[in-house]
Amino acid sequence: GTLGGLGLALGLWRRQAALAAAREDEEEKELRQRFMAPPVSGLRELRRRRRELRSRMELLIMETQAEMCRALADLDPGASFAVDSWERKEGGGGISCVLQDGEIFEKAGVNVSVVSGILSEEAARQMRSRGKSLKAKDGKLPFCAMGVSSVIHPKNPHVPTMHFNYRYFEIEEADGTKQWWFGGGTDLTPTYLNEEDAIHFHKTLKEACDKHDPKLYPKYKKWCDDYFYIKHRGERRGIGGIFFDDVDSPSKEEVFQFVKSCAKAVVPCYIPIVKKHCHDSFTPEEKLWQQLRRGRYVEFNLVYDRGTKFGLLTPGSRIESILMSLPLTARWEYMHNPPESSKEAEILEVLRNPKDWVH
């Protein structure tokens, strides 16, 4: 009787193990279909550590990448994303998804990176200059950084360029304590001003922020206007949105939930604007103005952008992915000034004096 009972229990255990394995395989298949490529950390590893915030953040950035790529591909069916998984010998890797020369998008990139290793001296100096007290062990600071980053440059001058980035950073100090923080934002750079679009974009981001705290949107909207400032031109890169960095309170879980809300707002704040204008007619003069504005975009990214600087200072980083934000084409004309009271002068006015779009 005892042996028979053991046999039954063993048979039941085997059946349960087989069911669990089948469930895992099904889950893995579903995740694989959901993403643009297998995650950097591997599906099994992510499942094993699924309660840890690092794993949940990696899943969130993978999902955000896939959602944006699918939304863009639906609008530009003739074009397709080149999906490029890469490894970094110092630790980690990433997935770059880039669409070029489509009918709607001249260049659209959505990158995910999950990297780890030892922070470079330069990168540590940059962080300390922002007020981080980083205590190195034997001069070394182990770090882990992950994020999703996207820049979309449409062909039509009446469709704005859009950028978003959401990231998580962790550093281990000499005594083993971990410093962590989140950063990110979403911002819009139109060639021509359309007030209705500006209001839709800002309202969608405000709703995402308001779910967590009504003080966040005004604070991060101002931060965005201040951050994307091209000092040598005296103008902003675009009409803003939200931007934040070094956010490590009230708690890891609460900040993660806030970042998740912001990431989920990316498609609804932008895609309706693209749909509305992607077939608008435009003149050669309007296309020229778009090229000149793109020149300003390049100036900001190469001279001031913190993410670009960090990437260029990190050993083994992938330059192609860091410079994905640059447009295929841009233009710099000597002493170009638009006529007063023109559509071109109208956008410059807003770039020099940011507006409140939601009140």
Side-chain angles (χ1 to χ4, degrees), residues 305-348:
D305 188 68
R306 201 183 286 167
T308 306
K309 280 183 178 173
F310 176 78
L312 297 175
L313 296 172
T314 302
S317 59
R318 197 163 185 273
I319 302 304
E320 284 297 313
S321 298
I322 294 160
L323 298 181
M324 170 212 77
S325 64
L326 303 183
L328 276 189
T329 59
R331 191 175 170 105
W332 286 266
E333 275 190 19
Y334 185 68
M335 300 296 279
H336 184 280
N337 283 308
E340 274 183 51
S341 308
S342 63
K343 287 289 221 182
E344 290 76 13
E346 180 189 28
I347 185 87
L348 281 180

Side-chain angles (χ1 to χ4, degrees), residues 171-272:
I171 286 183
E172 195 175 321
E173 295 190 273
D175 60 1
T177 58
K178 283 183 179 167
Q179 275 207 50
W180 59 268
W181 62 89
F182 289 88
T186 303
D187 61 281
L188 197 69
T189 305
T191 303
Y192 288 96
L193 185 63
N194 180 304
E195 296 227 349
E196 207 178 83
D197 297 345
I199 291 164
H200 164 79
F201 184 80
H202 277 269
K203 269 197 165 159
T204 311
L205 294 177
K206 182 181 184 295
E207 280 163 20
C209 294
D210 285 356
K211 281 182 202 163
H212 301 271
D213 184 344
K215 291 191 201 83
L216 295 178
Y217 170 77
K219 180 182 174 183
Y220 295 156
K221 191 260 184 205
K222 184 184 183 313
W223 198 340
C224 188
D225 288 334
D226 294 344
Y227 178 77
F228 291 104
Y229 183 59
I230 309 170
K231 289 189 192 77
H232 60 270
R233 299 283 188 184
E235 60 192 47
R236 273 85 197 153
R237 187 178 80 176
I239 59 158
I242 55 170
F243 177 87
F244 55 91
D245 208 355
D246 302 326
V247 178
D248 56 7
S249 65
S251 72
K252 205 184 254 191
E253 183 60 34
E254 282 169 283
V255 187
F256 173 70
Q257 290 301 335
F258 165 66
V259 166
K260 190 174 179 178
S261 293
C262 294
K264 294 289 174 201
V266 166
V267 168
C269 76
Y270 181 60
I271 296 299

Side-chain angles (χ1 to χ4, degrees), residues 17-18 28 78 119 129 132 135 140 147 176 191 198 213 292 294 322 345:
E28 196 159 314
L119 207 60
S129 75
K132 297 268 171 216
K135 296 179 279 293
K140 292 192 168 129
T191 303
D213 184 344
L292 291 165
R294 288 219 189 124
I322 294 160

Side-chain angles (χ1 to χ4, degrees), residues 255-311:
V255 187
F256 173 70
Q257 290 301 335
F258 165 66
V259 166
K260 190 174 179 178
S261 293
C262 294
K264 294 289 174 201
V266 166
V267 168
C269 76
Y270 181 60
I271 296 299
I273 299 174
V274 183
K275 280 184 177 163
K276 186 173 150 190
H277 297 291
C278 61
H279 299 298
D280 287 5
S281 60
F282 59 89
T283 65
E285 291 74 26
E286 287 170 333
K287 188 68 188 170
L288 169 68
W289 178 242
Q290 181 193 46
Q291 299 294 85
L292 291 165
R293 295 314 308 162
R294 288 219 189 124
R296 298 286 207 268
Y297 204 93
V298 171
E299 286 174 31
F300 178 85
N301 281 28
L302 294 182
V303 178
Y304 300 113
D305 188 68
R306 201 183 286 167
T308 306
K309 280 183 178 173
F310 176 78

